Amino acid sequence: MKNKLTYDEAARRIEEIVTQLESGQVDIGQMGQLLKEAKTLLAQCQAELGKIESNVRKILE
């Protein structure tokens, strides 16, 4: 994966990966690569959501 994607871009890419996997047209080697990419993107999204949650809590205090 090249540059870090925005949250929205990462979420869209995860949706694309899920669609590919659900299609049944992915071979086992490609499946492993897609799952690894999805795992990385999910971690990125979770980290971003954690930052946003922290900021919201600070604002509400």
Side-chain angles (χ1 to χ4, degrees):
M1 189 179 298
K2 39 185 177 173
N3 297 328
K4 190 173 183 179
L5 303 175
T6 66
Y7 179 87
D8 290 335
E9 292 168 336
R12 273 193 299 276
R13 178 62 185 139
I14 292 167
E15 289 176 11
E16 291 171 2
I17 291 170
V18 169
T19 300
Q20 284 182 286
L21 293 172
E22 289 178 339
S23 76
Q25 302 297 316
V26 177
D27 66 45
I28 195 77
Q30 188 180 16
M31 185 183 297
Q33 290 175 330
L34 289 171
L35 289 172
K36 183 177 178 181
E37 180 183 356
K39 182 179 177 182
T40 300
L41 292 169
L42 284 169
Q44 177 187 329
C45 288
Q46 288 173 330
E48 182 138 354
L49 288 173
K51 289 179 195 174
I52 292 168
E53 180 181 13
S54 176
N55 288 339
V56 168
R57 286 176 192 249
K58 287 178 186 177
I59 291 169
L60 295 177
E61 289 180 350

